[in-house]
Amino acid sequence: MKKAAAVKPAKSVTKAAAVKPAKSVTKAAAKPESRTALVRRARRINRELAEVYPYAHPELDFENPFQLLVATVLSAQTTDLRVNQTTPALFAKHPTPEDLAAANPEDVEELIRPTGFFRAKTKSIMGLAAALRDEFGGEVPGRVEDLVKLPGVGRKTAFVVMGNAFGRPGITVDTHFGRLVRRWKWTEETDPDKVEKAVGELFPKSDWTMLSHRVIFHGRRICHARKPACGACPIAPLCPAYGEGETDPEKAKKLLKYEKGGFPGQRLKPPQSYLDAGGIPAPPLGATAPPATGE
Protein backbone atom coordinates (compact mmCIF):
# COMPACT_ATOMS: atom_id res chain seq x y z
CA MET A 1 0.00 0.00 0.00
CA LYS A 2 1.23 3.50 -0.77
CA LYS A 3 2.29 5.71 2.04
CA ALA A 4 0.46 8.99 2.52
CA ALA A 5 2.99 11.59 1.39
CA ALA A 6 3.91 14.40 3.72
CA VAL A 7 1.95 17.58 3.19
CA LYS A 8 3.78 20.72 4.26
CA PRO A 9 1.63 22.88 6.55
CA ALA A 10 0.62 26.25 5.14
CA LYS A 11 0.05 29.51 6.95
CA SER A 12 -2.47 30.81 4.47
CA VAL A 13 -4.69 29.60 1.69
CA THR A 14 -2.04 30.43 -0.87
CA LYS A 15 -0.89 26.89 -0.27
CA ALA A 16 -3.21 24.10 -1.28
CA ALA A 17 -3.09 22.10 1.93
CA ALA A 18 -2.63 23.02 5.56
CA VAL A 19 -2.75 19.60 7.13
CA LYS A 20 -0.24 17.78 9.26
CA PRO A 21 1.79 15.20 7.36
CA ALA A 22 0.67 11.63 7.72
CA LYS A 23 3.75 9.68 8.77
CA SER A 24 2.96 6.33 7.24
CA VAL A 25 -0.17 4.39 6.59
CA THR A 26 -0.25 0.72 7.29
CA LYS A 27 -3.48 -1.19 7.54
CA ALA A 28 -3.72 -2.94 10.85
CA ALA A 29 -4.35 -6.65 10.86
CA ALA A 30 -8.04 -7.49 10.71
CA LYS A 31 -8.51 -8.37 14.35
CA PRO A 32 -11.03 -7.14 16.89
CA GLU A 33 -10.11 -3.84 18.56
CA SER A 34 -10.36 -3.87 22.32
CA ARG A 35 -12.48 -1.29 24.05
CA THR A 36 -9.40 0.30 25.57
CA ALA A 37 -7.66 0.51 22.19
CA LEU A 38 -10.78 2.02 20.62
CA VAL A 39 -10.99 4.74 23.27
CA ARG A 40 -7.30 5.54 22.87
CA ARG A 41 -7.53 5.71 19.08
CA ALA A 42 -10.69 7.83 19.16
CA ARG A 43 -9.16 10.31 21.59
CA ARG A 44 -5.96 10.48 19.56
CA ILE A 45 -7.99 11.30 16.46
CA ASN A 46 -9.70 14.08 18.40
CA ARG A 47 -6.32 15.47 19.50
CA GLU A 48 -4.99 15.36 15.93
CA LEU A 49 -8.09 17.13 14.62
CA ALA A 50 -7.72 19.78 17.34
CA GLU A 51 -4.27 20.60 15.94
CA VAL A 52 -5.50 20.70 12.34
CA TYR A 53 -8.66 22.72 13.10
CA PRO A 54 -7.88 24.94 16.11
CA TYR A 55 -10.45 27.36 14.71
CA ALA A 56 -13.29 24.82 14.38
CA HIS A 57 -16.64 26.45 15.08
CA PRO A 58 -20.35 26.16 14.33
CA GLU A 59 -20.77 27.08 10.66
CA LEU A 60 -24.11 28.82 11.03
CA ASP A 61 -24.07 32.60 11.45
CA PHE A 62 -25.92 33.72 14.58
CA GLU A 63 -25.90 36.51 17.14
CA ASN A 64 -28.19 35.02 19.80
CA PRO A 65 -29.85 31.71 20.77
CA PHE A 66 -33.01 32.50 18.82
CA GLN A 67 -31.11 33.06 15.59
CA LEU A 68 -29.11 29.85 16.07
CA LEU A 69 -32.27 27.86 16.80
CA VAL A 70 -34.03 29.11 13.66
CA ALA A 71 -30.92 28.73 11.49
CA THR A 72 -30.41 25.14 12.64
CA VAL A 73 -34.00 24.22 11.79
CA LEU A 74 -33.56 25.81 8.36
CA SER A 75 -30.33 23.85 7.78
CA ALA A 76 -32.18 20.56 7.29
CA GLN A 77 -31.69 19.20 3.76
CA THR A 78 -29.50 22.11 2.69
CA THR A 79 -26.08 23.60 3.37
CA ASP A 80 -25.10 25.94 6.19
CA LEU A 81 -23.85 28.27 3.46
CA ARG A 82 -27.29 28.58 1.91
CA VAL A 83 -28.84 29.16 5.33
CA ASN A 84 -26.27 31.85 6.13
CA GLN A 85 -27.04 33.57 2.84
CA THR A 86 -30.77 33.47 3.60
CA THR A 87 -31.11 34.37 7.28
CA PRO A 88 -29.86 38.00 7.16
CA ALA A 89 -33.04 39.12 5.38
CA LEU A 90 -35.22 36.94 7.62
CA PHE A 91 -33.76 38.28 10.88
CA ALA A 92 -33.71 41.86 9.62
CA LYS A 93 -37.48 41.67 9.13
CA HIS A 94 -38.34 39.35 12.04
CA PRO A 95 -35.65 39.75 14.73
CA THR A 96 -37.57 38.29 17.70
CA PRO A 97 -39.84 35.30 18.36
CA GLU A 98 -42.76 37.70 18.74
CA ASP A 99 -42.06 39.25 15.33
CA LEU A 100 -41.71 35.91 13.58
CA ALA A 101 -44.79 34.40 15.24
CA ALA A 102 -46.91 37.33 14.02
CA ALA A 103 -45.53 37.31 10.46
CA ASN A 104 -47.45 36.56 7.28
CA PRO A 105 -46.59 32.92 6.43
CA GLU A 106 -46.38 33.71 2.73
CA ASP A 107 -43.84 36.42 3.39
CA VAL A 108 -41.73 34.05 5.48
CA GLU A 109 -41.94 31.40 2.77
CA GLU A 110 -40.48 33.82 0.24
CA LEU A 111 -37.69 34.85 2.60
CA ILE A 112 -36.56 31.27 3.28
CA ARG A 113 -37.35 29.79 -0.15
CA PRO A 114 -33.63 29.31 -1.03
CA THR A 115 -33.25 26.78 1.80
CA GLY A 116 -35.71 24.35 0.22
CA PHE A 117 -38.81 22.72 1.78
CA PHE A 118 -39.79 26.29 2.59
CA ARG A 119 -43.45 25.61 3.39
CA ALA A 120 -42.69 22.97 5.99
CA LYS A 121 -39.83 25.03 7.39
CA THR A 122 -42.04 28.12 7.61
CA LYS A 123 -44.54 26.14 9.64
CA SER A 124 -41.76 24.91 11.95
CA ILE A 125 -40.01 28.21 12.58
CA MET A 126 -43.25 30.15 13.02
CA GLY A 127 -44.51 27.41 15.32
CA LEU A 128 -41.41 27.43 17.46
CA ALA A 129 -41.49 31.24 17.56
CA ALA A 130 -45.08 31.14 18.82
CA ALA A 131 -44.15 28.51 21.42
CA LEU A 132 -41.23 30.64 22.62
CA ARG A 133 -43.56 33.64 22.87
CA ASP A 134 -46.39 31.83 24.62
CA GLU A 135 -44.55 29.32 26.81
CA PHE A 136 -41.10 30.74 27.48
CA GLY A 137 -41.56 34.49 27.61
CA GLY A 138 -39.91 35.00 24.24
CA GLU A 139 -36.66 33.38 25.40
CA VAL A 140 -34.99 30.22 24.11
CA PRO A 141 -34.95 27.66 26.95
CA GLY A 142 -31.62 26.29 28.07
CA ARG A 143 -32.71 22.68 28.56
CA VAL A 144 -32.78 19.89 25.99
CA GLU A 145 -36.05 18.65 27.46
CA ASP A 146 -37.72 21.96 26.65
CA LEU A 147 -36.07 22.52 23.27
CA VAL A 148 -37.19 19.20 21.79
CA LYS A 149 -40.82 20.10 22.52
CA LEU A 150 -40.62 22.99 20.07
CA PRO A 151 -41.91 22.43 16.49
CA GLY A 152 -39.17 21.18 14.17
CA VAL A 153 -36.61 20.76 16.94
CA GLY A 154 -35.00 17.36 17.49
CA ARG A 155 -32.06 16.30 19.63
CA LYS A 156 -29.49 17.32 17.02
CA THR A 157 -30.85 20.86 16.87
CA ALA A 158 -31.18 20.99 20.64
CA PHE A 159 -27.54 20.03 21.16
CA VAL A 160 -26.37 22.56 18.57
CA VAL A 161 -28.14 25.27 20.55
CA MET A 162 -27.06 23.94 23.94
CA GLY A 163 -23.41 23.64 22.98
CA ASN A 164 -23.01 26.85 21.01
CA ALA A 165 -25.52 29.29 22.46
CA PHE A 166 -25.38 28.18 26.11
CA GLY A 167 -21.97 26.53 26.37
CA ARG A 168 -23.37 23.23 27.63
CA PRO A 169 -21.74 20.05 26.22
CA GLY A 170 -23.53 18.13 23.50
CA ILE A 171 -22.78 15.90 20.52
CA THR A 172 -24.21 17.01 17.19
CA VAL A 173 -24.87 13.99 15.00
CA ASP A 174 -25.34 15.41 11.52
CA THR A 175 -24.69 13.61 8.22
CA HIS A 176 -20.94 14.30 8.31
CA PHE A 177 -20.52 13.24 11.93
CA GLY A 178 -22.40 9.97 11.50
CA ARG A 179 -20.52 9.11 8.31
CA LEU A 180 -17.07 9.74 9.76
CA VAL A 181 -17.52 7.97 13.09
CA ARG A 182 -18.67 4.89 11.19
CA ARG A 183 -15.67 5.13 8.86
CA TRP A 184 -13.44 5.32 11.90
CA LYS A 185 -15.21 2.31 13.47
CA TRP A 186 -16.17 4.24 16.58
CA THR A 187 -19.62 2.74 16.19
CA GLU A 188 -21.66 0.77 13.67
CA GLU A 189 -24.88 2.49 14.71
CA THR A 190 -26.87 4.48 12.15
CA ASP A 191 -29.62 5.89 14.36
CA PRO A 192 -28.49 9.39 15.44
CA ASP A 193 -29.55 8.91 19.06
CA LYS A 194 -27.58 5.65 19.29
CA VAL A 195 -24.57 7.24 17.56
CA GLU A 196 -24.71 10.09 20.07
CA LYS A 197 -24.73 7.65 22.99
CA ALA A 198 -21.99 5.39 21.61
CA VAL A 199 -19.59 8.23 20.77
CA GLY A 200 -20.36 10.08 23.99
CA GLU A 201 -19.13 7.07 25.94
CA LEU A 202 -15.70 7.34 24.30
CA PHE A 203 -15.02 10.90 25.47
CA PRO A 204 -15.38 13.04 28.58
CA LYS A 205 -18.45 15.26 28.38
CA SER A 206 -16.27 18.38 28.28
CA ASP A 207 -14.99 17.31 24.83
CA TRP A 208 -18.37 16.76 23.19
CA THR A 209 -19.11 20.14 21.65
CA MET A 210 -15.66 20.78 20.16
CA LEU A 211 -15.38 17.15 19.06
CA SER A 212 -18.56 17.67 17.03
CA HIS A 213 -17.15 20.78 15.34
CA ARG A 214 -13.84 19.11 14.49
CA VAL A 215 -15.42 15.99 13.03
CA ILE A 216 -17.88 18.03 10.95
CA PHE A 217 -15.06 20.32 9.76
CA HIS A 218 -13.03 17.29 8.70
CA GLY A 219 -16.00 15.76 6.90
CA ARG A 220 -16.58 18.92 4.91
CA ARG A 221 -12.97 19.64 4.11
CA ILE A 222 -11.11 16.37 3.65
CA CYS A 223 -13.10 13.21 4.42
CA HIS A 224 -15.79 13.74 1.80
CA ALA A 225 -18.66 11.33 1.28
CA ARG A 226 -17.95 10.29 -2.30
CA LYS A 227 -14.23 10.85 -2.65
CA PRO A 228 -12.29 11.39 0.56
CA ALA A 229 -8.87 12.99 0.18
CA CYS A 230 -6.99 10.18 1.91
CA GLY A 231 -3.62 11.30 0.57
CA ALA A 232 -3.97 14.68 2.30
CA CYS A 233 -5.49 13.40 5.53
CA PRO A 234 -3.63 14.09 8.79
CA ILE A 235 -5.23 11.13 10.57
CA ALA A 236 -4.67 8.57 7.80
CA PRO A 237 -2.54 6.29 10.05
CA LEU A 238 -5.44 6.06 12.50
CA CYS A 239 -8.19 5.46 9.95
CA PRO A 240 -9.51 1.95 9.22
CA ALA A 241 -11.05 3.29 5.98
CA TYR A 242 -7.81 4.67 4.53
CA GLY A 243 -7.70 3.91 0.82
CA GLU A 244 -11.42 4.35 0.16
CA GLY A 245 -10.57 7.71 -1.38
CA GLU A 246 -7.76 9.30 -3.37
CA THR A 247 -4.39 8.32 -1.89
CA ASP A 248 -2.13 10.15 -4.34
CA PRO A 249 -0.99 13.27 -2.43
CA GLU A 250 -1.11 15.66 -5.37
CA LYS A 251 -4.51 14.47 -6.56
CA ALA A 252 -5.80 14.52 -2.97
CA LYS A 253 -4.74 18.18 -2.57
CA LYS A 254 -7.07 19.12 -5.39
CA LEU A 255 -10.02 17.70 -3.44
CA LEU A 256 -9.49 19.97 -0.42
CA LYS A 257 -12.23 22.49 0.33
CA TYR A 258 -12.66 25.80 2.13
CA GLU A 259 -9.64 27.28 3.91
CA LYS A 260 -7.40 24.34 3.01
CA GLY A 261 -8.09 24.71 -0.67
CA GLY A 262 -8.48 28.47 -0.81
CA PHE A 263 -12.27 28.48 -1.21
CA PRO A 264 -14.85 30.55 0.69
CA GLY A 265 -16.21 28.87 3.81
CA GLN A 266 -19.78 28.49 5.03
CA ARG A 267 -20.16 31.65 7.11
CA LEU A 268 -20.61 35.22 5.96
CA LYS A 269 -19.36 36.36 9.39
CA PRO A 270 -16.87 33.72 10.59
CA PRO A 271 -14.88 33.98 13.85
CA GLN A 272 -11.65 35.95 13.73
CA SER A 273 -9.62 32.80 14.43
CA TYR A 274 -10.91 31.31 11.19
CA LEU A 275 -9.96 34.43 9.23
CA ASP A 276 -6.53 34.44 10.88
CA ALA A 277 -6.03 30.86 9.67
CA GLY A 278 -6.64 31.94 6.08
CA GLY A 279 -10.35 31.20 5.88
CA ILE A 280 -12.40 33.28 3.46
CA PRO A 281 -15.93 34.48 4.32
CA ALA A 282 -18.77 33.17 2.16
CA PRO A 283 -20.36 35.59 -0.31
CA PRO A 284 -23.87 36.97 0.33
CA LEU A 285 -26.81 35.47 -1.53
CA GLY A 286 -26.59 36.35 -5.21
CA ALA A 287 -23.00 37.61 -5.02
CA THR A 288 -20.15 36.16 -7.02
CA ALA A 289 -17.78 34.08 -4.95
CA PRO A 290 -14.17 35.28 -4.84
CA PRO A 291 -11.78 33.13 -6.87
CA ALA A 292 -9.95 30.28 -5.17
CA THR A 293 -6.34 31.05 -4.36
CA GLY A 294 -5.16 27.52 -3.64
CA GLU A 295 -2.60 25.89 -5.93
Side-chain angles (χ1 to χ4, degrees):
M1 174 171 292
K2 294 181 181 179
K3 293 184 178 182
V7 182
K8 189 177 180 181
K11 293 184 179 180
S12 70
V13 297
T14 56
K15 297 293 183 182
V19 296
K20 271 181 52 179
K23 297 176 182 176
S24 64
V25 182
T26 305
K27 285 276 190 179
K31 61 180 180 180
E33 185 176 37
S34 70
R35 178 70 180 181
T36 299
L38 170 61
V39 170
R40 287 175 177 170
R41 182 170 62 85
R43 294 186 180 186
R44 184 178 170 192
I45 286 175
N46 184 38
R47 291 194 298 272
E48 295 284 341
L49 294 180
E51 292 186 21
V52 178
Y53 308 110
Y55 45 81
H57 58 269
E59 293 194 88
L60 288 168
D61 282 320
F62 70 99
E63 297 178 356
N64 54 57
F66 173 62
Q67 289 188 0
L68 180 57
L69 178 60
V70 170
T72 306
V73 171
L74 293 178
S75 70
Q77 304 298 315
T78 191
T79 63
D80 287 356
L81 170 58
R82 183 48 58 91
V83 174
N84 292 337
Q85 292 173 325
T86 303
T87 51
L90 175 68
F91 295 140
K93 193 167 185 179
H94 308 295
T96 68
E98 292 83 0
D99 294 324
L100 183 56
N104 182 324
E106 293 182 356
D107 291 342
V108 176
E109 287 177 2
E110 282 305 307
L111 288 169
I112 69 169
R113 183 182 289 270
T115 68
F117 302 96
F118 57 90
R119 291 189 179 88
K121 290 180 179 179
T122 292
K123 184 176 181 180
S124 291
I125 64 174
M126 290 189 68
L128 72 83
L132 292 176
R133 178 195 62 194
D134 298 340
E135 300 173 30
F136 298 99
E139 299 292 332
V140 175
R143 299 196 318 156
V144 171
E145 296 83 354
D146 293 326
L147 287 167
V148 296
K149 294 176 183 178
L150 299 172
V153 179
R155 287 182 67 83
K156 185 195 89 167
T157 296
F159 281 126
V160 169
V161 174
M162 292 293 293
N164 299 293
F166 295 109
R168 296 171 188 171
I171 292 177
T172 303
V173 183
D174 74 347
T175 302
H176 301 286
F177 190 94
R179 171 167 51 81
L180 266 61
V181 299
R182 285 187 288 274
R183 271 184 179 163
W184 296 336
K185 304 299 182 184
W186 290 3
T187 180
E188 298 294 333
E189 299 290 353
T190 57
D191 178 79
D193 291 350
K194 293 180 179 179
V195 171
E196 174 199 321
K197 182 176 186 300
V199 175
E201 291 174 350
L202 301 176
F203 297 89
K205 184 177 286 190
S206 58
D207 287 352
W208 288 357
T209 298
M210 286 308 301
L211 169 71
S212 300
H213 293 326
R214 293 166 190 151
V215 173
I216 293 169
F217 254 58
H218 193 62
R220 285 176 170 162
R221 286 151 177 76
I222 294 177
C223 195
H224 311 134
R226 295 183 181 177
K227 198 170 186 180
C230 294
C233 182
I235 61 166
L238 301 169
C239 181
Y242 175 80
E244 288 185 7
E246 180 58 66
T247 58
D248 180 88
E250 293 304 315
K251 292 180 180 178
K253 282 184 190 179
K254 296 178 181 178
L255 300 175
L256 301 182
K257 296 182 178 180
Y258 307 131
E259 73 284 345
K260 297 189 181 305
F263 299 97
Q266 299 270 298
R267 292 185 68 163
L268 278 68
K269 298 179 180 179
Q272 187 60 46
S273 59
Y274 179 78
L275 298 175
D276 291 343
I280 304 172
L285 191 63
T288 301
T293 58
E295 295 178 352

